[in-house]
Structures are given as structure tokens and as C-alpha cells.
Amino acid sequence: MNKNHESHYTENVQHHLQQVQSLLEKHALVETLALKQEMPRQERHELLGAILHKQHLAELQDKLANLHSSDIAFILEALPIEQRLLVWDLVKADRDGEILIEVSDAVRESLIATMSREELREAAEQLDTDEIADLAHDLPHAVMRDVFKSLTIEEREQLRAAMSYPEDAVGALMDFDMVTIREDVTLEVVSRYLRRFDEMPDHTDQLFVVDRNDIFKGVLPLNRLLVNEPEESVSKLMRTDTIKLHPDDKAEQAAQAFERYDLVSAPVVEEDGKLVGRVTVNTVMDYIRSQSESEILNTAGLRGEEDIFASVWKSVKNRWMWLALNLCTAFFASRVIGEFENTIEKLVALAALMPIVAGIAGNSANQTATIIIRSLALGQVNQSNARRLISKEITIGGINGLIWGGMAGIFAFFLYKSVLLGVILTGAMVLNLVLGALAGLMIPLFLQRIGRDPAIGSSVMLTAITDSGGFFIFLGLAAIFLIN
């Protein structure tokens, strides 16, 4: 399918964005000046229409026609809603499908909302079946019915298969555009067969060898096809020790395999050995990028990808869940402090030093959690090595507590002329850093054990533990040794 205007592709997308924004600003200026003219309404409307069509919009349309679909998607994501929709209307209809695939989910929603049923159907029909499956959850049911009716029987089966897998499964990443050959033919026959194609499927680095029942036998790398004699047989040169994926495998495992073995493509094989599709490196890269963005959003407590130019109300709703949880944890921490009001009244210095105890432990806990979450994602942490990690993190927390707590204690001594206050501050920081290290390790492990994403909510829980724990430890020690 792919007519993505590769010849016009450029990495300088920021420059293209600036050019588009400049043309949009000129267009807005001309529109404003035309509306201010003192003339009858109809004439003013006609003048405005003539200006808009003859000047900057035509130039903008030409600019968009020469851009790669990915660049247009980036530009659409970087524009406010009004300008985005104006640019979207100027994009040629035969590119709607591939651009909808490239834009983020949040921006795609705003574009689809402006399209008619017929426009959506035509956009979907431009795509391969695996791409239609990616778009299906955003399209109205009526549009999907129309698209399904327009597909061939084979394409319908492929679409059903692609939509039957969860988003984090290999089956959701696979495509069906691949080249298969038989093992009982020569390289000359294979070469003649390939010359019948107008173009090879994207990221074709190997041909998949199957029998008459589509049972996977191996792969024939293209470099072997090119450097060997035409009379050689496929069965002699094909590789049988290749990496095979299964549709129900986790997409994360496939991503690790592509990284570990430097794969460009990999076959997807069912339990009975039947070849059903392939996964390519570009799809894996898109998945990794999507997961990375999702983890960043989850760490910040956002429920999903947010359109930066969405309405204020949508943005508020996307952010309020973890803010509410933060408020609850803040109230809890305040009640811990409230229990030591008398202690703080007797020595005001405690109020000034409390944030130090909580802050450095929170930072340390987040460092530990980040390392553990990454290790969990790579499959490096399991039950057999978890205890060793606990011992290590406790040791690290204790050493950091002694070093930085000691420095803070010395600072407190010189500031408040109290040796005991410095010792208490040091001890509180040692204990809270150990507590933070344990929390940074145990919370991600617990979340993974109950089937939750360790990146979601870890930071909020860590803040609650290190703040409340730090206040309780520091003020408790002060109440025992300093005030009484």
C-alpha cells in the first residue's frame, strides 16, 4: 500500500512546522483584514473567499502535498484545534488513512470527529488489514461495517485475526504483507517470482519458506538469494534455526527479541506450525515508543495520552485522579505532623528541618523504583534474586543515609548549636532512606504481582510513604530524645 512520499521525507520537521505556522498566521491576518472592510456583506464574503483560495491556503496545500505523512502527523499534533482542522481539510483525501495511523490517539479522535461516514470509510480502505485493526477502536461501528463489507474474504479473516488479540500481544503487532516460497524450488524460480511484484513489502530482509499447507519451514535471507548460484535449491540455503514468535506472546517479549538479535522481521507462527503473519522492526519501534510515552504519563499520574490543545475540561479530567490521591496522602502526612504539634512548638527548628528528611528519602526511593521498574520490564528481576536486591537496597539506603544525613547533621549543628539535634537529624535520615529504598523496591514488585503496571501510581505511593514516614521518624526521635 505504502505511498508515503518517501522521496520528500526529511528529518527537519521542525522547519516544516514553522513554515506551516507562518502560512497559517498570514492566512489569519488576511482573513481579519478582509472582515474589517466597509462593504456589503455578500461582497465582503466573496472577497474573502477569493483571497483565501488564491493566496496562502493554496501555498499551504502545496506545502502539505510534499510532506511525508509522519511529518504531517507531527504538525497536526503541534497545532491548536482550529488551525489543526484547517490543515486537515487541506490534506489530500487519499492520504487521510495513513495520517490517521501516524497521529496520536488523542489527536486522531479530534480529526475523526470532523469526518463524515463516507470519508472515514474511504480513509480506512486505503490501509492494510493490520492497520485497519489499529484504527478500529476509534472508528464508529457503522463505518467498520462498511469497511468490512468492502474487504475480500481473505482480508476479512486477517482483520478478524488481528482484532482478536489484546493490544500487548504479538498478534496485535503482526502484519500479513509478506512473501512466502516453497523449499523445493531453485533460486532462479524464486527470482522470477519476485520480479512479478511491483514492489517488495516494506522491511523485507528474508523470505518465509512454507509447505502447501502454509506450515512454516524456515527463512531464506535475501543476501543468500543474491550471492548464490541460480541453480541452488531453497532447501539447501534456507535457515531453520530462526527466531519464531507466537501470536499470543507478549509484545514486550518480541521487542526484547528484536533488540537482542538485531532483527528486521520475524515470522509469527501458530501452535500447529502454520505461518500467520510477520512482525517488522518499524512496528516494534512504534510499540516501544508508545510504551515509553505511556510509562512517562503513568509516572506523572495521567490516565492517558493528552492532546496538548484539547479543551480545558478534558485536560482537567485526565489529571484529577492522581491529584485527588495526592491530596489524600498530603492530608495523611499533615495528620502525622499534627500529632507532634506540641513537639514542634517547643523547638521551631524541627519545622525547618522536616522537609530535608522527607525530600532526600523521596528522591532516593524514586531512584530505586525507576531502576526496579526498568529491570522488571527487561525481565531481570524474579523471585530468586529479589531477596538479594532487598539486601543491596537496604545497604545503599543506609550508606547514603550516613553520608548525606551526616552532612545534614553537621549543617544543623552549626545552624542551631545543638549536637543532639544534628544526631537526631542524621539518624532520621538514615532510617527514612532505608524505608524509602525498601518502598522503592517493594511497591513495583507488589504492583506487578497483582497484575498492575508498576509504573502506575508508584511515585504517589512512594511520596506518601517517605513524607509520612520521614515526618514520623524525625519528630518521634525529637520527642523522645530532645524534648522530654
Side-chain angles (χ1 to χ4, degrees):
M1 161 216 127
N2 212 327
K3 294 181 180 178
N4 275 341
H5 302 256
E6 284 86 352
S7 59
H8 302 296
Y9 178 70
T10 175
E11 295 181 358
N12 196 8
V13 66
Q14 288 287 349
H15 177 63
H16 293 319
L17 174 60
Q18 292 171 2
Q19 289 181 322
V20 169
Q21 289 173 326
S22 176
L23 291 171
L24 288 170
E25 289 171 0
K26 292 177 182 178
H27 159 69
L29 178 61
V30 170
E31 183 179 24
T32 302
L33 293 175
L35 290 172
K36 289 182 179 180
Q37 295 297 318
E38 296 292 336
M39 59 182 65
R41 183 173 180 178
Q42 183 176 356
E43 293 182 19
R44 187 169 67 224
H45 179 75
E46 292 174 357
L47 173 62
L48 176 61
I51 293 175
L52 295 179
H53 287 291
K54 290 182 180 179
Q55 296 185 11
H56 304 302
L57 289 186
E59 185 178 350
L60 181 56
Q61 192 169 31
D62 290 340
K63 175 69 179 176
L64 295 171
N66 291 325
L67 290 180
H68 189 279
S69 297
S70 297
D71 289 347
I72 296 177
F74 175 85
I75 290 170
L76 290 170
E77 292 173 356
L79 294 176
I81 296 292
E82 298 80 7
Q83 293 183 345
R84 177 188 300 161
L85 297 181
L86 175 60
V87 170
W88 180 240
D89 288 338
L90 295 176
V91 173
K92 291 183 178 180
D94 62 356
R95 302 181 67 189
D96 284 354
E98 56 192 49
I99 295 173
L100 286 174
I101 286 292
E102 295 289 344
V103 295
S104 64
D105 291 345
V107 173
R108 184 186 303 135
E109 181 181 338
S110 68
L111 300 179
I112 287 178
T114 67
M115 300 175 69
S116 67
R117 176 173 173 175
E118 182 65 21
E119 289 174 331
L120 288 172
R121 182 187 63 78
E122 291 177 355
E125 288 177 350
Q126 301 164 14
L127 304 174
D128 294 331
T129 49
D130 58 295
E131 294 172 324
I132 295 174
D134 293 337
L135 204 60
H137 66 282
D138 291 319
L139 295 177
H141 293 301
V143 173
M144 282 304 299
R145 284 198 300 269
D146 293 342
V147 173
F148 194 77
K149 291 177 183 177
S150 68
L151 300 176
T152 65
I153 295 177
E154 181 183 6
E155 289 172 335
R156 291 179 185 180
E157 291 302 317
Q158 291 175 349
L159 181 57
R160 284 196 188 98
M163 293 178 63
S164 67
Y165 298 103
E167 290 184 1
D168 62 346
V170 166
L173 301 183
M174 70 177 176
D175 70 63
F176 307 96
D177 193 14
M178 56 187 174
V179 181
T180 59
I181 57 175
R182 302 281 188 265
E183 62 180 323
D184 57 352
V185 298
T186 64
L187 299 188
E188 183 179 4
V189 172
V190 174
S191 298
R192 287 204 308 267
Y193 171 63
L194 295 181
R195 284 194 290 271
R196 294 166 55 188
F197 288 83
D198 293 329
E199 60 180 2
M200 296 286 284
D202 289 340
H203 303 93
T204 297
D205 65 318
Q206 56 189 1
L207 309 179
F208 300 110
V209 184
V210 297
D211 64 15
R212 296 185 182 278
N213 297 315
D214 288 329
I215 301 299
F216 180 76
K217 296 297 184 181
V219 297
L220 177 66
L222 287 183
N223 61 345
R224 295 192 181 185
L225 172 65
L226 295 174
V227 302
N228 284 281
E229 295 297 327
E231 295 79 15
E232 294 283 0
S233 67
V234 171
S235 59
K236 181 180 178 181
L237 297 174
M238 71 179 190
R239 289 179 50 194
T240 57
D241 58 341
T242 185
I243 300 297
K244 293 184 290 185
L245 304 175
H246 299 281
D248 294 319
D249 288 346
K250 291 293 185 181
E252 189 176 297
Q253 296 173 346
Q256 293 173 8
F258 269 75
E259 179 184 12
R260 186 177 299 116
Y261 303 113
D262 295 326
L263 303 178
V264 176
S265 67
V268 181
V269 181
E270 291 184 330
E271 292 295 333
D272 60 0
K274 185 177 181 180
L275 178 69
V276 291
R278 65 167 186 159
V279 174
T280 55
V281 65
N282 63 317
T283 307
V284 171
M285 291 298 295
D286 288 342
Y287 172 79
I288 293 173
R289 177 183 57 81
S290 175
Q291 289 299 108
S292 299
E293 291 175 353
S294 178
E295 288 182 5
I296 292 172
L297 293 172
N298 290 335
T299 302
L302 295 173
R303 292 189 298 173
E305 189 173 25
E306 182 178 311
D307 179 1
I308 59 173
F309 295 108
S311 68
V312 172
W313 182 240
K314 279 188 176 181
S315 296
V316 167
K317 289 193 295 183
N318 188 40
R319 303 180 191 188
W320 67 17
M321 184 176 71
W322 289 112
L323 290 178
L325 184 56
N326 263 308
L327 181 61
C328 294
T329 59
F331 271 123
F332 181 76
S334 71
R335 292 319 307 147
V336 172
I337 297 173
E339 293 297 318
F340 294 93
E341 285 181 1
N342 294 332
T343 303
I344 296 173
E345 286 177 359
K346 294 177 182 177
L347 187 58
V348 180
L350 298 176
L353 297 175
M354 283 191 307
I356 299 175
V357 179
I360 194 167
N363 188 12
S364 176
N366 276 307
Q367 290 176 342
T368 301
T370 300
I371 293 171
I372 297 303
I373 291 171
R374 176 183 178 274
S375 299
L376 288 171
L378 296 175
Q380 296 173 342
V381 177
N382 50 48
Q383 294 295 328
S384 63
N385 57 23
R387 290 187 177 182
R388 181 174 294 182
L389 284 174
I390 293 173
S391 175
K392 175 188 174 184
E393 291 302 324
I394 290 176
T395 304
I396 292 174
I399 292 173
N400 281 331
L402 286 172
I403 294 173
W404 301 109
M407 293 181 64
I410 294 171
F411 171 79
F413 166 73
F414 282 110
L415 197 61
Y416 298 105
K417 309 302 180 185
S418 172
V419 174
L420 186 55
L421 179 61
V423 173
I424 289 173
L425 180 61
T426 301
M429 288 185 65
V430 170
L431 293 175
N432 204 30
L433 277 165
V434 171
L435 175 65
L438 280 172
L441 176 66
M442 300 304 294
I443 288 175
L445 290 174
F446 171 74
L447 290 174
Q448 189 197 47
R449 182 153 192 162
I450 63 175
R452 300 293 300 274
D453 186 346
I456 299 178
S458 290
S459 61
V460 176
M461 297 172 70
L462 289 174
T463 301
I465 290 174
T466 54
D467 282 1
S468 302
F471 296 151
F472 181 81
I473 292 170
F474 180 53
L475 296 175
L477 290 175
I480 294 173
F481 296 105
L482 198 61
I483 304 301
N484 295 333

